[in-house]
Structure formats: C-alpha cells, structure tokens
Amino acid sequence: MSAVAAQRSLIGASLPRKEDDRLLRGDGCFTDDVQSAHQLEMAVGRCPFPHAEIRGLDVSPALALAGVEHILTGADVRALSAPLTVLRPVPGAPELPYYALAGERAIHEGQPVVSVVATSRALAEDALELIDIDYEPLPHVTDTLQALAEDAPVLHPGVLDSNLLARHEDRAGVPEERMAEADIVVGERFRINRVTAMAMEGRGVVARWRPGARQLSVYASTQTPHLLRHQLAESLRLDEGCIRVAASDVGGGFGQKLGIYPEDLLAALHAMALGRPVKWIEDRLEYFRASTHAREAVFDFAIGARTDGEISAITNRYTTDLGAWNSSFGSAQLSSVVFTGPYKLADAVAERRVAVTNKTPIGAYRGYGQPEVNFAREVLIDRLARRLGLDALEFRERNMLRPEDLPWKTPSGAVYDSGDYVKTLRMAGEAVGYAAHRAAPRRADGDGRLKGIGFASFVERTGYASARFLANRGSIFGAHESVTLRANRSGDIDLYTGVSTFGQGSETAFAQICAEILAVDYESIHVHAGDTASSPLNTGAFASRTLIAAAGAIREAADELRGKALRIAAWVLETAPEALEVSGQVVRLRDDHSRSLALSDIFTRAIIGQGIPPEETPGLEASAHYAPDEAAFSFGTAAAVVAADPESGEFSVDRLVMVHDCGTAVNPLLVEGQVLGGLVQGLGAALSEDLIYDPDTGQLVSGSMLDYFMPTAADVPPIELLHSEIPSPVTSFGERGVGEVGTIPPAAALANALCDALSEFGVELSRLPLTPESVWRALKNAKGANP
Amino acid sequence: MKAADFIYHRATGVAEALRYMEDYDGEARLLAGGQSLMPMLNMRLWRPAALIDINALSELAEVTAQGEETHLGALVRHATLETSPLIAARLPLLATMVRFIGDHQIRRRGTIGGSLVQGDPASEMPLGCLVLGAEINAVGPAGARMIAIEDFYDGAYATALEADELLTEIRFAVHPPHFAFHELCRRHNDFAVLSVAATGHFSADGGWHGLRIGLGGVNDRPVLAEASMALLEGSSLSDADIAAAGEAALGAIDPPSDIRGSAEYRAHLVPRYIAKALRDLRLSAQG
C-alpha cells in the first residue's frame, strides 16, 4: 500500500473512458439490443384511473387474435408468484402488498392490470385493446397532505388505518425550547415538486427460461443485477441458483433502476409459461406512469437565531409522498440526515411522515431527500439573514462548522468526517464577484432586468455508514462492494464486478485503480460488468457509494493477485519478491531491468499450474469484499447569478458556479461529468420539470415529453466548476462520493438569487419549480403585502 | 406505443392524391413531414382509414418568385425556410420565426403546409402567414380555390379545408420592410406560451403605416390585434403609442389556461410582448 500510495500516477488522471469507444460507435448493448431467436414481445395494460375496483376482465377475444401467445391477469399472478419485495423499507412500517398485476383493486393510474405476449409489440397492443375491463372508479386522493385527512379514502385498508405509512423522528438537544428562546424565528411551508429522472433508455427486460436446465436468464436495464436476482427468486419462489441477471449497457440509472419492477416479474412469468424468450421495452409514455417518480414532499421548516446571528435551533417537519406503494427504495430518507447542513448547532429535530397517495410510486432519485431539504433550509437561511439585516454569505460563514470541529456528530446522528465548508463558500463568493455586487447600486439593465446573486451550501452523505446501520433500518443489502480479478494468458487482467454500467464511468475508475495498484497498463484491464453469472455478489451502484466501497475491494484483490504473481516471478528469476517490480506488461528486477519476465508468462504458469513454486496452488485470481467503516460526506457551495424582470417575473440564469469537494478525484473527467450531469438534472427540477396530477380526475396531466418540461441542451446556462480536494479519512484513497451532488444546491441558489434580484419588492419563494409565472405571482403577493 | 394497422399509399401526383382521398371518403390522412401525425398514430389517438404519403410530390416542394409574389409549395420543409437565400430576401419574417420551431430534426422533416393544416394555436407558421396576409391554394375534386389566411381557421386544430381538399401552395405578397418577432417558451423552442409578430412601413413623414400585429397562443387560433393596428396607423410608435396599443390588444385575446401558463399570466404578458415587438420595429426603422 505504501508503495502504491507513493506512485499516484493513474489515480487523479483524466484517462479517457473505457466505455466511450463502443458507445460512440453505436456498439453499446442495451436491453433492446438483446435479440433472441423465437423472441416474443410483451405489452402491459394499465389502469386508467387513480383508484378503481376491477369488477371483471375478459381476455378471450384477445387470446383469439392470431399471434397472441399468452396473457396474464391479476389472478394468474397471485397463483404463480409472491408480492414484489422491498430493498429499503420505511423503518417501522408494515409491508404493503403489491403484486405484479392489480387484483380486485388498482390504486394508481398506470398500475399494471393485464399483460399480453404476442409475436410483435404492435400485435400485443392490438390485443390489449380487445380486453374488456370493467372498472368501477373509487374515491381517490392525490394531494400529499389531503391523503392524511380523516375523510381521505384509505388505500391499504388491510394493513393501515389511514394513509400514514410511518412517522419517524430524529432529534438532538431541546430544539423546541431553543426555538421558544430565540430572538427571531423564520418558518415556512415549502412544496417540492414531483419529478422523474428521465433516463435516455427507459426500463426494459428480456427473460428466457430453459425448463430442462431450470435456468431463467434475465437481461435488464438495472443498477442492481444481484439484488434483482434475489428479488426475482423471492417473488418467483425459485432458488437463486436458477436465475442469472445480466445488465450490459444501461442507458441511465439515477436511482430509478434499483430493484424489481412488476414488468421484470411479468416477463419472467410469461417466459416460464411459454418456454420462449419474452421482451418488454418500456416506451416513453409508459415510463411516465410505470417508472418511479421522485422528490414530492411538503416541508414545514423553521430556523431560530439570536439577534447577533447565531443559529440556535432547526425544526424540520415534513411529509413525503410515497405514491401508491412502497417501491424498492420508497420515498427519500435523507431529508432527515443532512437537514442541518454545514451549520454548527446542537438542537434540532427532523420529523418525517410518509403519506400514501393514488399516484405512481415514488422511488430513489439522485439526491434522495438532500435536494429537497437543501431547498427549504438554504432559502430560509437567506430569509433569516435578510430579517436580521445580515449579509447572506457572512451569516452562513458565521454559523458554519470549522475544519477543527470535525469529525462532528450532527443532531441526526450522522458523523461528518472532514472538510472545509467556509472555504467553498468563499470560493463561490469570489467566483461570482459577490463583494462588488453588494457594493454596486441597484440598477436595471437595458431590458429592465435586475441582477441577483444567491448561494446554497450543502453537506452530502455519500455511501452508507455500515451494514450495521443498514440492518437497523431494515435494508436487505449491505454497505460493501466486491470485485474478482482474474489473470489471463494474454498477460491481461479480467475484472468482474456486479456494478452495471449506466454512464457513471465505473469501468474506467475501477480499471484505473486496478492498474495503479498492479502497476500494469490501464489498457490491460478488461472490465466485465453487471452479470450475476460471472461477478461476485455485491450491493449495486447507488447512494454515491460505488467507488467508495469498490476502491477498497479492488485494492485488496489487486494486492493479493500482485503478491502471488511476484512470488512466482521471484521463484523463476531466483530472487526475492521484494526485489521485483511490475512495469507495464513485465515483472523485472528493480536493480537490473534486463532481468524480466512477461506477465503473460507468469500468468500462464499460474493458470496451467506448470513452472510455479511447489507451495503455490494453480490459478491466479482474487476476490475481495470491502465495506468502508463510515459514510463520507461531500460538501460545497453553489452560486447562481440571475437577471429578473420585476414586471413579468421572467428571468435568465446567467451563471451557475459550483464549488464542491469530493475528496480525492480518481478521474477528474468523470468527476466533472458527474457534477455537470447532476447540476443539469437539478436545474430541470428547479426551473421547469413538474409531474402534475389533476386533483379532480386524479390523472397525470404532464405525462409526456410534450408537457413535461425537461430542459434541452440549449436551456443549460453557463456552468463553472471549482474544485476543493480535501481527502476523506474514512475511505481507501480519500475519495468521497460524487454521483448525486449536482442535484442538491441549484434550486436554493436560484431561489436565493431571484429573491436577491427582487429584494426591493420583498419577494419570497417557497415552492418548486421556479417559473416566470410563479415569480410573477410571488411579486404580486409581495406587492400586495408591501404596497 | 405502436400504431394500429393502417393502409399506406404513396401518391405520385396531386390528382392521384385527390383520388385516394375520395376513395376513402375523407377518412384518410395526408402524410407530409409527419411531425404531428406520426405521434398521434403511435399513441393510437388517430386511426385514419389510410395514410396518403405526398412526399413524392416534388411539384409541392418548390419555392418560387412570381413577380412581386413569393409562392411556397405545401411540402417546403422548415429547414428550407431556414436556409434558403430567396426566403431570407423575400420573406425574412418567416425565416426568423422558423428557427423557433422544435429542433433541427423536426425542421428537416416538418413542412409549412403541414404546420398550417395542423393549426396549433401556438405554432409559428400560422402566425407568420397571418401577419404577412398569405393566401392559401387548396385543390379538391371541384377544382382549386384560394382561401385568405384570415378565413383559414375555424378554431384550434380546425381549418376551412374540406375533408377531400389538399393544401398545395401558400402565396405571399411583397414583404413589408420592417418586421419583428418575440415569443416566450417554457424551454428552448417549446410550444409558445405566447408569441407576437409584427410588420410595418415607416414613411418619410415619420409615421408608421399598414402595421400588422399578430398574436399566437392567446386564442383558439392566431389573431390580429386589429384595434392596436388601427390605433397605430400613422403614429410614430412613441412609448405612449406602444403602451396604448398593448392595452388595445387585450380585446382580441381569449387566452387558455394550460400547463404552459394561466390565462391571467398570458394576458399580463400580451402588452409587454407587443411592446417588445414594436420597440424592435422602431429600432429597425432607425437602423
């Protein structure tokens, strides 16, 4: 390790991505690229109502259609499989039964009700039209808070008495007393919009069953092949050994592709009934109702402070919308973990309520509660500063934890490992010329627009504290990652990982670390990702934890493999392993480079067991599992510069600056890609994206690309990234997670910039998205309140 | 979603296309650029008896100068309007507005005839044609007829065309020397929340004449702000004139409330967007 740490040549290098060559040539292999002989296609009939009794269903006309091979109904699914299972249940909450197809009652628009397999997708859709389903619409509830009202229809009457799935509190100190003593308290109700991740590749699955071999092969667009295999085994009541799950290229994950979905199970059931491969590819209209939504929540957030500007208490009482069912990851849980942000205070409480509504189930999405609570807290921080007559930047700085305060146990019980929060705040302020902006007189530009600057600081949890922590929360996965390294006779290394490739660049980062430790060429590492048949059991890629955990596993496995290779080489060269070094594709004496042995020679000896020391066993491969001891906490500050029209509410985002620290950057190019991608998703959620349900009909009204305002490339404002790089003491190479960070601060930074621009009107913003019309309404309200 | 089965015909001439339309008793649909038609087919919201593909009708794809007039065939692609030097010189308002339609891929396929027949109240080509006072040539079993653009729309997505008529050409008189266009979108080149196009002549006496102001997205069809136009006749487009014209336009609108914006917000923006366009005109005359 010490020798490795000293080199550091590949770790920190912006190597080109291993994935790019095939992707840019159009040679990726996504789910729909999997073509099998005799393949059939599946289409799913979905409930058009938010809540309905299914009184009857006649599939006979559809079955009579030539080319239709098989149909499954809710009754079939109940006979053939168990309900879908959950990976990350809500602590303390009962299980909500949810089968792959609705039975006597459907509880959200888009819930699968019937499934047809035919010789083509078009034919399967023709067949769906022939199936007469007798729905009796029932009273529904789509509003998060109304779902908890006494007169709301209870959606899971067998399990719950109301739509409150769970209530949980994390607290430290005496926040209510501190709040009562505070000189000033600001509080607000914040509404966070419901959004969706919008991966370029929707979900998809190809299932094949070989009855003679009792072997189910499932190709799926998933972030968690091994967990999906486990969940399929549970619902199909099959031994895990009968199931192989493979994800080759995955066109985007973002947390949405964690664990099992109904269609995975349906494709498997059809394939097992028919003995023919069955493919289902989600189309974009289905996607809007069939893949999990995210974020929707209502926060009642309050901050108390003394007149001198010291924050004394935070109360964070919020309700997250679960949708109709607890999906594999359910609604976000981190709004209770990082809700005090980078600020130093001892007295705080987070109360989380989970409400069930007649909407598409909520699932994990990049940030998982952190963007939501960041919006509430950072907008109120600015408002509090304004009320106190303090500068927003100075007010933050005054209350921030200092490097010497860390490690710091927050009121939620999380332990921030290390960092310099004030540094990122100052960097952001300097980057946008904040001091000059503060000093300059307020003057509209030629278009009548006023300039505003806003900040948002954050601390982000990346990775999991431990398997013990996860066990306490009822999660059925661990905190570790694993890798198998296998030498081959070409002198290269095959690296096997259960982490599928969905754009995060893990193939590249894993190869970099592996090549670094083995001191071999980066090109000689062949990464084989996402196949349960070849990879060691692992957790999966989510929670910004892949690299944090995998780096340790790669290090251990590579050390083991390297040790054995050097022992064999030393035996052949009649020297001691310590006298040897690996350089490129050879092992040589440190002192005499002319005495060397090709890696292909050493690896061949080991693999065939010929010409190796008598005490060594044949073979040259190593597997390792590694879990970090603690979560690592990334941090930073974003700044937004806007120009806003005080008459119309229209505004432009002129600059977005992100200062962030993800510790040691294994590959700065990947870091930049991750942060930029997250920022753009954060901007979309902040400014335009909104899944709106009509309260009267319970229908999703923005359920297509026509009405869901995902930004295009042309909508992205100029973005500047600034890096701080303070190594984390709790991870193998000092790295912190980076996958989700970009989603966290944009909304608050933009809202604060708008409030700054329109400060003379007293504008306050508290709901997302921030649209020209919503700013105009806030202006009208403010002008009404302060004429 | 996959389209339900449909019958497909590729017409090789206008007469053949008309014959097919007659064969299907007006229940067939014409396929030009397909940018609105294909999604509707795939979502199974439209089930025409047949599709009649007119893309092979090269006689409908021409841009021609006929004396002072400019004629655009119904199949002229948006991308042609965007790049043609003839259009830039003779119909600069259309050349400007066409860049606000969708993305490159859509503009490569989409046609001006298709856009006019689709009749989305917020789309650019109907508004541009209205402000330029275009005339539309339609051919049916009984022969050809000319329809003034002011008479072309019966409402949202509804035109004066008979079910067996084919739009073949759009004719434009000489283009006014000054023009301006503004629109507000929820994202780049999305359907407009509202749009304003204006043209006019500035004479040596310092006054504006023949001003035309059209509004998109604020009624069931693109509309002319006729009261504003009358008010501004002969004016110098002073700030006060512009403000009065903006207010006067409110009589011409009946804006929808939809996911892109409320009626109230659209109404609030109309005078502001008219002012933007008129200030641009003023500037254009100065330059």
Side-chain angles (χ1 to χ4, degrees):
Chain A
M1 168 63 202
S2 54
V4 168
Q7 293 178 17
R8 287 288 306 256
S9 57
L10 289 180
I11 293 177
S14 287
L15 296 184
R17 289 175 12 122
K18 279 203 177 277
E19 301 87 340
D20 284 346
D21 201 16
R22 66 174 188 269
L23 294 177
L24 294 174
R25 289 172 193 271
D27 204 20
C29 183
F30 299 90
T31 310
D32 205 11
D33 293 313
V34 177
Q35 298 287 347
S36 315
H38 313 296
Q39 171 184 291
L40 299 166
E41 297 211 44
M42 178 174 102
V44 178
R46 302 176 184 281
C47 182
F49 301 103
H51 195 189
E53 188 187 333
I54 299 169
R55 291 186 160 174
L57 174 148
D58 181 8
V59 302
S60 48
L63 268 176
L65 191 66
V68 172
E69 299 289 333
H70 194 233
I71 296 180
L72 286 169
T73 66
D76 300 329
V77 160
R78 273 156 188 74
L80 296 168
S81 64
L84 304 185
T85 57
V86 172
L87 296 173
R88 191 146 201 233
V90 176
E95 283 179 26
L96 303 177
Y98 191 88
Y99 286 87
L101 293 172
E104 292 166 359
R105 204 162 51 91
I107 51 179
H108 65 92
E109 185 198 357
Q111 182 175 355
V113 175
V114 64
S115 174
V116 175
V117 163
T119 48
S120 75
R121 173 69 177 249
L123 201 62
E125 291 183 14
D126 288 347
L128 286 177
E129 292 183 344
L130 299 175
I131 298 173
D132 188 23
I133 304 173
D134 182 8
Y135 289 109
E136 177 66 29
L138 298 169
H140 64 268
V141 61
T142 52
D143 181 84
T144 310
L145 295 182
Q146 280 174 17
L148 301 180
E150 287 211 344
D151 58 350
V154 176
L155 305 189
H156 293 278
V159 183
L160 296 170
D161 300 329
S162 73
N163 294 317
L164 180 66
L165 178 67
R167 186 192 160 279
H168 187 80
E169 204 175 87
D170 292 284
R171 64 161 57 233
V174 285
E176 289 83 1
E177 283 176 38
R178 291 284 172 272
M179 208 57 101
E181 297 161 8
D183 295 325
I184 179 168
V185 174
V186 294
E188 176 71 277
R189 171 160 289 184
F190 293 91
R191 288 186 181 268
I192 310 294
N193 45 337
R194 179 177 268 250
V195 298
T196 186
M198 203 62 74
M200 276 203 274
E201 184 196 26
R203 288 184 300 110
V205 59
V206 181
R208 191 169 62 197
W209 171 247
R210 290 166 59 212
R214 288 190 64 73
Q215 187 66 41
L216 179 71
S217 298
V218 175
Y219 303 87
S221 187
T222 180
Q223 294 171 248
T224 53
H226 281 287
L227 291 172
L228 176 55
R229 178 190 189 220
H230 173 62
Q231 288 183 293
L232 280 168
E234 285 182 314
S235 289
L236 292 168
R237 304 186 190 104
L238 264 183
D239 191 287
E240 280 191 50
C242 298
I243 303 175
R244 170 194 172 202
V245 173
S248 187
D249 285 305
V250 176
F254 311 114
Q256 199 173 38
K257 293 175 182 168
L258 297 177
I260 197 167
Y261 275 90
E263 296 84 0
D264 303 326
L265 191 53
L266 292 171
L269 289 171
H270 284 298
M272 292 173 78
L274 293 166
R276 287 178 69 177
V278 171
K279 174 185 278 187
W280 173 75
I281 299 297
E282 183 180 58
D283 71 35
R284 195 56 70 180
L285 275 180
E286 277 187 298
Y287 169 85
F288 272 97
R289 291 156 185 85
S291 282
T292 50
H293 296 170
R295 301 258 192 273
E296 184 173 19
V298 181
F299 284 80
D300 288 319
F301 203 98
I303 308 177
R306 299 197 319 229
T307 44
D308 67 1
E310 185 176 306
I311 295 173
S312 51
I314 287 179
T315 57
N316 170 29
R317 302 189 184 282
Y318 68 102
T319 307
T320 65
D321 193 318
L322 186 76
W325 172 67
N326 199 129
S327 71
S328 268
F329 258 66
S331 64
Q333 299 193 18
L334 294 183
S335 296
S336 292
V337 175
V338 293
F339 72 101
T340 52
Y343 307 111
K344 186 172 184 175
L345 72 158
D347 301 276
V349 59
E351 179 200 10
R352 174 175 187 259
R353 297 191 304 169
V354 181
V356 185
T357 58
N358 289 112
K359 291 182 288 191
T360 291
I362 289 274
Y365 176 34
R366 212 173 192 176
Y368 198 56
Q370 301 180 99
E372 296 93 311
V373 77
N374 187 268
F375 178 69
R377 187 192 64 246
E378 290 297 300
V379 166
L380 272 189
I381 289 278
D382 261 40
R383 201 176 294 177
L384 185 50
R386 283 195 294 275
R387 298 271 169 85
L388 287 167
L390 298 172
D391 177 78
L393 213 93
E394 287 165 15
F395 179 55
R396 280 188 175 79
E397 178 163 340
R398 184 197 156 115
N399 284 286
M400 274 181 173
L401 291 157
R402 298 298 194 266
E404 57 272 22
D405 292 323
L406 308 184
W408 169 265
K409 188 170 183 180
T410 69
S412 69
V415 179
Y416 294 170
D417 54 288
S418 67
D420 189 342
Y421 307 151
V422 170
K423 177 178 144 193
T424 66
L425 183 68
R426 290 183 179 167
M427 284 170 73
E430 279 167 28
V432 295
Y434 183 63
H437 169 72
R438 291 288 296 174
R442 290 293 168 116
R443 206 177 293 128
D445 66 13
D447 293 326
R449 296 189 178 210
L450 295 159
K451 178 181 171 181
I453 294 181
F455 298 92
S457 295
F458 60 90
V459 179
E460 178 203 12
R461 195 185 81 187
T462 70
Y464 290 115
S466 64
R468 197 174 54 254
F469 161 85
L470 287 164
N472 288 340
R473 303 229 154 200
S475 303
I476 63 154
F477 53 84
H480 69 280
E481 264 311 314
S482 61
V483 69
T484 293
L485 301 180
R486 190 179 293 161
N488 66 42
R489 278 165 281 192
S490 303
D492 284 4
I493 303 291
D494 291 301
L495 186 159
Y496 297 90
T497 169
V499 171
S500 53
T501 299
F502 52 83
Q504 79 276 47
S506 52
E507 291 182 27
T508 298
F510 288 11
Q512 263 180 278
I513 295 171
C514 187
E516 172 72 20
I517 295 171
L518 292 174
V520 300
D521 294 340
Y522 170 64
E523 293 73 22
S524 73
I525 312 292
H526 302 267
V527 180
H528 308 277
D531 189 339
T532 64
S534 60
S535 61
L537 278 161
N538 76 329
T539 303
F542 52 89
S544 293
R545 53 168 292 286
T546 308
L547 196 69
I548 291 176
I554 295 167
R555 187 177 68 190
E556 286 182 15
D559 279 343
E560 185 185 334
L561 191 129
R562 184 170 179 268
K564 185 169 180 180
L566 291 183
R567 287 199 303 277
I568 293 170
W571 183 77
V572 176
L573 294 170
E574 298 186 330
T575 181
E578 297 74 33
L580 296 174
E581 65 181 15
V582 183
S583 176
Q585 296 306 97
V586 298
V587 173
R588 65 192 183 191
L589 259 69
R590 282 182 207 283
D591 301 334
D592 180 1
H593 291 181
S594 71
R595 291 185 61 204
S596 67
L597 209 55
L599 285 178
S600 57
D601 185 356
I602 302 168
F603 291 178
T604 301
R605 286 165 182 265
I607 290 163
I608 64 178
Q610 297 176 2
I612 60 172
E615 67 275 16
E616 296 286 353
T617 53
L620 188 53
E621 69 176 72
S623 291
H625 291 67
Y626 177 85
D629 296 334
E630 299 289 345
F633 286 81
S634 296
F635 57 91
T637 300
V641 181
V642 304
D645 184 325
E647 295 291 325
S648 69
E650 292 170 272
F651 60 90
S652 57
V653 180
D654 297 335
R655 288 176 74 188
L656 188 68
V657 174
M658 175 73 156
V659 187
H660 78 106
D661 189 313
C662 61
T664 306
V666 171
N667 183 325
L669 189 70
L670 294 180
V671 167
E672 192 162 313
Q674 284 281 18
V675 178
L676 282 174
L679 282 170
V680 173
Q681 282 187 315
L683 281 163
L687 297 177
S688 54
E689 296 178 30
D690 205 359
L691 290 168
I692 299 167
Y693 281 80
D694 182 309
D696 295 328
T697 65
Q699 306 279 320
L700 178 61
V701 293
S702 49
S704 79
M705 285 304 231
L706 186 65
D707 294 320
Y708 184 75
F709 304 121
M710 184 188 179
T712 69
D715 292 302
V716 177
I719 297 176
E720 299 146 69
L721 302 185
L722 297 173
H723 307 279
S724 157
E725 197 169 332
I726 298 172
S728 166
V730 301
T731 57
S732 299
F733 296 93
E735 71 279 14
R736 309 172 196 272
V738 70
E740 301 171 80
V741 61
T743 60
I744 297 172
L750 288 162
N752 287 339
L754 286 165
C755 291
D756 179 51
L758 304 171
S759 57
E760 66 190 271
F761 307 98
V763 164
E764 296 185 342
L765 298 167
S766 57
R767 67 163 59 212
L768 294 175
L770 305 162
T771 67
E773 180 162 355
S774 74
V775 173
W776 173 68
R777 290 192 182 282
L779 273 158
K780 278 204 342 178
N781 289 342
K783 287 171 180 169
N786 324 298
Chain B
M1 294 289 285
K2 306 290 182 194
D5 281 351
F6 55 82
I7 296 166
Y8 172 88
H9 295 288
R10 179 182 289 143
T12 54
V14 170
E16 190 186 359
L18 290 175
R19 227 170 22 247
Y20 283 130
M21 290 168 78
E22 211 174 343
D23 288 349
Y24 290 98
D25 213 12
E27 297 296 315
R29 287 240 177 211
L30 294 166
L31 173 64
Q35 297 303 294
S36 301
L37 174 58
M38 295 315 294
M40 297 302 274
L41 287 182
N42 282 340
M43 290 188 280
R44 299 188 173 214
L45 293 172
W46 284 354
R47 293 167 181 255
L51 282 193
I52 303 161
D53 186 343
I54 56 168
N55 281 281
L57 274 56
S58 53
E59 66 266 38
L60 298 189
E62 287 172 11
V63 178
T64 48
Q66 304 270 347
E68 295 213 309
E69 288 196 354
T70 312
H71 295 184
L72 302 181
L75 268 183
V76 171
R77 312 275 168 190
H78 298 324
T80 304
L81 299 179
E82 194 177 348
T83 54
S84 155
L86 192 70
I87 301 293
R90 297 177 72 106
L91 298 170
L93 176 64
L94 286 194
T96 300
M97 291 176 74
V98 78
R99 291 171 186 273
F100 290 78
I101 299 176
D103 51 35
H104 283 293
Q105 291 90 326
I106 287 171
R107 296 199 293 273
R108 285 271 158 199
R109 294 299 306 166
T111 64
I112 185 164
S115 178
L116 289 178
V117 173
Q118 175 68 8
D120 189 297
S123 73
E124 286 79 6
M125 288 302 103
L127 175 63
C129 289
L130 175 67
V131 171
L132 294 176
E135 286 196 302
I136 287 163
N137 188 39
V139 182
R145 62 172 178 139
M146 296 300 292
I147 309 168
I149 183 76
E150 287 87 344
D151 303 326
F152 190 63
Y153 290 109
D154 292 336
Y157 310 104
T159 71
L161 289 177
E162 299 296 334
D164 53 5
E165 276 186 314
L166 169 65
L167 188 164
T168 55
E169 192 171 68
I170 306 104
R171 297 180 185 171
F172 296 87
V174 69
H175 192 286
H178 301 289
F179 65 94
F181 176 68
H182 281 278
E183 72 174 31
L184 173 65
C185 296
R186 289 291 303 273
R187 64 183 154 184
H188 180 72
N189 281 12
D190 190 47
F191 283 96
V193 175
L194 85 164
S195 50
V196 178
T199 59
H201 301 262
F202 183 64
S203 69
D205 64 7
W208 284 84
H209 301 283
L211 275 164
R212 284 173 74 89
I213 303 169
L215 298 164
V218 290
N219 211 319
D220 67 354
R221 66 196 86 181
V223 290
L224 290 172
E226 293 185 25
S228 313
M229 286 153 49
L231 204 65
L232 292 171
E233 182 58 32
S235 83
S236 66
L237 289 189
S238 69
D239 287 350
D241 295 333
I242 288 174
E247 289 306 312
L250 294 176
I253 67 169
D254 181 13
S257 278
D258 59 28
I259 201 145
R260 286 176 169 73
S262 68
E264 189 189 7
Y265 188 50
R266 283 184 161 102
H268 172 76
L269 292 176
V270 161
R272 303 185 50 77
Y273 270 75
I274 286 179
K276 281 184 193 218
L278 295 179
R279 284 199 301 265
D280 278 1
L281 280 190
R282 206 166 61 184
L283 210 62
S284 154
Q286 286 164 8

